[in-house]
Amino acid sequence: MNPLTAGVTRANEGLDGISWSILGQTYVPKTLTEESFSWHATLPPGTFVPPHIHTTQDEFIYMLEGRLDLLLDGKESFATAGDLIKLPRNIPHGLFNKSDATVKCLFWVSPTARLYDLFWGLHSMAEQKPADVVALSAKHEVDFLPPPPDAG
């Protein structure tokens, strides 16, 4: 992994032109170093990231548009534009777009660990079947938990 270089990553552009499709969402990587990894995410209505735990990373989400419902350490909450979501390592969390509007936000993790590689792996799957997503994620230090009954 390369050190951080000075400059601007333009709106609607990602590193090396990368755009991933993961669980019905679009992730566009913005920065990548050993210490941190950031990406812009677009979550259409009805999509979600099932409850999971990052064992080696702290995760942050800055809300740009829309509303995300959260399940954070067993408690329900939500965030809207301008809010910062803080997800410490080893704390279970799930993210749900239950609204009729698209959510746009900026995610980042510290350190990067194996998340960048996981996103490539998930994007490259012919079909993102739940069991396969869970198995691949576990190999990349992200442990999925059973989704709550009203996730969809």
Side-chain angles (χ1 to χ4, degrees), residues 44-134:
T47 63
F48 62 96
V49 179
H52 62 283
I53 297 171
H54 296 258
T55 58
T56 59
Q57 302 165 304
D58 296 320
E59 183 174 23
F60 305 88
I61 307 166
Y62 184 77
M63 295 291 297
L64 300 169
E65 295 178 20
R67 173 189 165 124
L68 270 181
D69 286 278
L70 314 169
L71 185 59
L72 179 56
D73 204 15
K75 298 179 182 94
E76 292 185 12
S77 186
F78 70 92
T80 59
D83 291 343
L84 175 67
I85 303 168
K86 300 169 289 199
L87 305 166
R89 68 190 74 197
N90 293 314
I91 301 295
H93 57 277
L95 310 168
F96 308 88
N97 183 355
K98 296 180 180 181
S99 76
D100 293 330
T102 297
V103 170
K104 293 185 180 183
C105 48
L106 179 71
F107 281 74
W108 68 98
V109 293
S110 179
T112 298
R114 302 190 66 207
L115 197 60
Y116 181 84
D117 297 331
L118 172 59
F119 287 171
W120 267 122
L122 293 173
H123 172 76
S124 300
M125 289 179 160
E127 288 184 61
Q128 293 174 0
K129 295 179 181 177
D132 297 337
V133 168
V134 168

Side-chain angles (χ1 to χ4, degrees), residues 1-17:
M1 227 172 281
N2 295 323
L4 184 64
T5 56
V8 175
T9 304
R10 298 283 172 206
N12 303 313
E13 291 181 11
L15 298 175
D16 301 321

